[in-house]
Amino acid sequence: MGLIEEPPERSNRLMQTTIAIAPMMDWTDRHCRFFHRQLTRRALLYTEMVVAEAVIHGVRERLLGFDGVEHPVALQLGGSDPRKLAEAAVIGEAFGYDEINLNVGCPSDRVQSGTFGACLMKTPALVAECVAAMKAEVKIPVTVKCRIGVDDQDPEPALDVLADSVFAAGADALWVHARKAWLEGLSPKENRDVPPLDYPRVYRLKARKPNEFIGINGGIQSLEEASAHVAHVDGAMLGRAAYHTPGILIGVDAAFYGDAPADFDYAALIDAMAGYAERHIEKGGRLGHVTRHMVGLFHGLPGARRYRQILSTDANKPGAGPQVLKTAFAAIDFAAAETEAA
């Protein structure tokens, strides 16, 4: 597999998407997305959540800037004011994003204080207003990412009501994290693990909404698991597994999009990332901003421990340059890996 030099053709046909990389705060920044795009040409990438107010009044290039190679890439917005969300969506579309996604699932204290994120599960009519306002102003898809419910809500009616509301408002897709969010009593980290997964609840929603795009998220650890989900719903969204073991993304295009399997060129990947890091450093950035997303790339291969050590230490030293990345790569013993696999 060669490295991505040109982005795939942009398309408004979201229904073609089956695999996505979840929006993750502090993780899926522009450097992470550039890296992930080198591993999969076709998976849909998402930004971290950006608050609509910040998009309108903040430094837009810092908040929204991305490399053209990232397409297809979606902007996830946070907010609950339909007018502000519509304005932010227009700005995102002008920046070149392929989709606008509304966060109705994040349980952090910050989003609770702003009355958005998972709190919006309690006000489906307001979510519908937000979707309708954005749809009225942009031509690209507008989607929603939610939980199956919050706190003491019964997930059966809660998810149905939300889904009915957003699709009636024109939403192009609904991605469902198959857990409840507990807004009181659990931390954001605990909300990613403690509430039990309920995949069948999402399957039932898809059965009830056969003509709408329903994607599933939460606890998916492998492409095999993603494939099992796609037998029931339209898409699977990989989160922490894609971040901590990004090498699994190399198989996405062949497994889900019909691309011909090919040997992956890791040396070309490292060259591409080194060049990207060099450009970032020239703009005043640091090597560690880029390499922190690459630590898990060679998980399970001989030399991976040394590779991780170099990226975790040397890449964060003052003045560190792209050569550190190449030195770390040199620690991987591909010959030994091939011998073990034989």
Side-chain angles (χ1 to χ4, degrees):
M1 176 179 173
L3 273 294
I4 306 301
E5 296 179 355
E6 296 293 336
E9 182 180 354
R10 291 176 64 188
S11 170
N12 285 341
R13 292 189 57 80
L14 182 68
M15 296 297 285
Q16 296 174 350
T17 301
T18 57
I19 298 298
I21 311 303
M24 292 176 282
M25 293 296 293
D26 299 321
W27 288 5
T28 51
D29 62 18
R30 61 191 303 174
H31 311 307
C32 177
R33 298 192 306 268
F34 183 92
F35 169 51
H36 283 173
R37 181 56 73 216
Q38 306 309 308
L39 305 175
T40 166
R41 181 179 177 83
R42 301 187 182 276
L44 176 61
L45 306 182
Y46 278 82
T47 68
E48 305 169 89
M49 182 188 69
V50 186
V51 177
E53 189 88 23
V55 171
I56 296 168
H57 300 293
V59 181
R60 293 175 184 173
E61 177 57 34
R62 179 178 62 81
L63 292 169
L64 302 181
F66 66 94
D67 193 293
V69 79
E70 294 175 35
H71 291 296
V73 57
L75 169 63
Q76 187 182 65
L77 294 176
S80 57
D81 183 318
R83 180 186 58 81
K84 291 179 180 178
L85 283 165
E87 185 176 353
V90 169
I91 295 168
E93 182 179 44
F95 258 77
Y97 283 97
D98 299 289
E99 173 195 321
I100 303 297
N101 178 265
L102 178 62
N103 185 316
V104 187
C106 181
S108 75
D109 293 339
R110 184 164 69 93
V111 300
Q112 289 187 55
S113 64
T115 320
F116 55 95
C119 294
L120 290 174
M121 290 292 301
K122 298 179 179 179
T123 55
L126 176 58
V127 177
E129 287 182 42
C130 294
V131 169
M134 291 187 283
K135 286 290 294 183
E137 299 296 332
V138 300
K139 294 182 174 63
I140 57 177
V142 173
T143 67
V144 173
K145 186 171 186 290
C146 69
R147 295 282 183 127
I148 60 173
V150 295
D151 296 337
D152 293 324
Q153 282 185 326
D154 181 343
E156 292 298 328
L159 185 57
D160 280 347
V161 170
L162 182 79
D164 290 346
S165 300
V166 300
F167 284 125
D172 295 281
L174 181 64
W175 289 95
V176 185
H177 186 153
R179 302 180 199 269
K180 269 191 173 186
W182 287 93
L183 303 179
E184 297 182 10
L186 292 180
S187 69
K189 182 178 184 301
E190 289 170 329
N191 262 298
R192 294 194 296 266
D193 296 298
V194 175
L197 286 160
D198 188 355
Y199 297 134
R201 177 64 192 94
V202 186
Y203 300 166
R204 291 194 295 277
L205 176 64
K206 176 58 190 177
R208 184 173 163 272
K209 292 281 188 183
N211 298 320
E212 306 288 2
F213 184 103
I214 305 292
I216 198 166
N217 171 228
I220 303 173
Q221 298 297 315
S222 68
L223 298 190
E224 291 74 19
E225 290 182 23
S227 181
H229 288 301
V230 171
H232 300 277
V233 294
D234 301 299
M237 184 176 271
L238 300 166
R240 283 170 289 169
Y243 190 87
H244 291 305
T245 55
I248 68 173
L249 300 180
I250 292 170
V252 164
D253 297 351
F256 295 93
Y257 296 94
D259 287 11
D263 291 335
F264 188 78
D265 191 341
Y266 284 103
L269 167 66
I270 297 301
D271 285 343
M273 294 308 300
Y276 176 85
E278 184 172 18
R279 296 190 295 274
H280 176 62
I281 292 168
E282 289 172 352
K283 296 176 184 177
R286 297 181 60 181
L287 179 64
H289 296 160
V290 176
T291 58
R292 73 186 184 96
H293 304 296
M294 302 176 64
V295 172
L297 176 61
F298 296 107
H299 179 77
L301 293 183
R305 181 178 180 183
R306 179 58 182 150
Y307 167 86
R308 293 193 300 270
Q309 287 174 337
I310 294 171
L311 290 193
S312 298
T313 55
D314 295 359
N316 292 301
K317 293 178 179 178
Q323 184 57 43
V324 172
L325 181 54
K326 296 187 176 183
T327 299
F329 176 60
I332 303 300
D333 189 344
F334 288 100
E338 290 178 0
T339 299
E340 290 180 5

